[in-house]
Amino acid sequence: MRRKIVVGNWKMNKTFPEAEDLLDELAERLKEEQDDQDVEVIVCPPFLYAEMAHDLCTDEDDESQVYYSVGVQDVSEHAQGAYTGEVSAAMLSSMGVEYCIVGHSERRKYFGESDAQVSRKVEQLLQNEITPIVCCGENAEERESGMQFDVIGRQLKEGLFGLKPLDFSRLVIAYEPVWAIGTGKTATPGQAQEVHAWIRNLVQEQYGKEIARVLPILYGGSCNARTARDLFAQPDIDGGLIGGASLNADDFIAIVNSFEK
Ligand code: PGA
């Protein structure tokens, strides 16, 4: 059995009080549902709210009761020093952050993030015991011209395949077709499954059967309470990276509950 994971990527949304309300509500709801829950829930708010997210993720009286894990949406590729505005993996780790999204298509598109930078960020995270959630995916034009596997193959090889097997085995991968992100145009379960199986096969060729077998591969791109069930029922889809629908507790919890029992 592979891990089942649902990640909320809040992107650049929510003021401080709004974030506090949502985190409170998520903790409350996940507490109620905890008994029949074998899903790992990871919440990735903006950096500023990571500490609050960490404070609210456990039971007040019993800190061993954790309702969700805390992640963030980016990290510096540098370890420390004169990099104004950056946030290091060591800082995040010292605040209890356990996961970090890397190589999201919005970072690649708007901030020019390259595969080489993805690779350096992943290294920083692994050195600081933070699990990278590494995104890959093709845009509309690339899919229309049948280039999706070339693009994803390049992103994975250049971003990740320099890792030693033990390090690679600590990753989570997210397939996010760019044409599906924030567009309301979810990939069909068949389209997503095809790419997930292809990724798992590529990982198997590089790292062997066992690492490929247990690697969690999440789907992202307009995944919502309506589409999650069929997506998560696919054999190679192990959960979701959720943007818009993670900003509302009802929608997000419905997605968390969308795995087959
Ligand atoms: P979306 O975003 O669910 O709003 O499409 C997903 C993501 O970008 O991670």
Side-chain angles (χ1 to χ4, degrees):
M1 268 292 264
R2 275 191 294 274
R3 293 150 68 195
K4 299 176 191 164
I5 302 174
V6 174
V7 184
N9 173 12
W10 290 11
K11 308 193 180 183
M12 196 174 72
N13 291 294
K14 305 282 181 195
T15 61
F16 187 86
E18 287 167 354
E20 189 172 26
D21 284 350
L22 180 53
L23 290 166
D24 262 338
E25 197 176 349
L26 287 175
E28 196 58 40
R29 300 280 297 276
L30 290 165
K31 180 179 182 172
E32 283 162 20
E33 318 218 357
Q34 207 168 43
D35 289 345
D36 44 44
Q37 201 62 264
D38 58 350
V39 181
E40 284 177 54
V41 179
I42 302 164
V43 179
C44 301
F47 284 132
L48 281 173
Y49 310 147
E51 186 181 2
M52 172 168 64
H54 188 254
D55 287 345
L56 295 174
C57 75
T58 49
D59 190 292
E60 269 176 30
D61 306 317
D62 174 7
E63 290 202 350
S64 67
Q65 297 272 11
V66 181
Y67 304 126
Y68 58 82
S69 301
V70 179
V72 290
Q73 304 165 21
D74 189 29
V75 65
S76 175
E77 66 190 275
H78 303 288
Q80 61 168 43
Y83 299 100
T84 301
E86 290 284 88
V87 174
S88 74
M91 294 173 189
L92 296 169
S93 175
S94 70
M95 291 177 66
V97 169
E98 290 181 88
Y99 291 87
C100 178
I101 299 169
V102 187
H104 190 282
S105 63
E106 287 153 15
R107 298 231 45 101
R108 294 179 192 261
K109 184 173 165 191
Y110 303 129
F111 305 97
E113 191 161 306
S114 65
D115 294 325
Q117 283 175 302
V118 169
S119 162
R120 291 194 286 273
K121 291 181 177 191
V122 166
E123 262 174 46
Q124 285 298 324
L125 293 168
L126 291 172
Q127 279 168 19
N128 287 281
E129 308 294 328
I130 297 174
T131 302
I133 302 169
V134 186
C135 303
C136 60
E138 80 287 357
N139 64 30
E141 221 170 80
E142 290 157 347
R143 176 159 280 263
E144 276 153 28
S145 53
M147 297 287 288
Q148 62 269 36
F149 298 118
D150 299 85
V151 173
I152 298 164
R154 190 210 70 222
Q155 291 169 337
L156 296 179
K157 283 178 195 156
E158 297 189 7
L160 303 177
F161 282 7
L163 290 171
K164 296 196 180 78
L166 192 63
D167 284 336
F168 188 91
S169 69
R170 294 161 61 197
L171 304 180
V172 173
I173 288 184
Y175 167 56
E176 298 208 304
V178 181
W179 47 270
I181 296 177
T183 58
K185 204 169 153 192
T186 323
T188 65
Q191 279 172 326
Q193 166 59 24
E194 183 190 29
V195 176
H196 283 230
W198 185 87
I199 292 172
R200 202 177 297 288
N201 191 51
L202 188 73
V203 169
Q204 179 169 327
E205 284 169 13
Q206 180 73 15
Y207 288 105
K209 219 174 179 151
E210 190 47 29
I211 287 181
R213 190 181 66 82
V214 298
L215 173 72
I217 308 178
L218 314 181
Y219 168 80
S222 297
C223 184
N224 56 39
R226 211 167 26 79
T227 53
R229 192 166 294 276
D230 286 346
L231 285 161
F232 295 178
Q234 300 298 312
D236 287 289
I237 300 184
D238 306 310
L241 175 50
I242 316 299
S246 72
L247 297 174
N248 171 291
D250 284 339
D251 292 344
F252 189 61
I253 299 292
I255 295 170
V256 171
N257 288 329
S258 292
F259 292 89
E260 277 173 355
K261 293 273 186 268

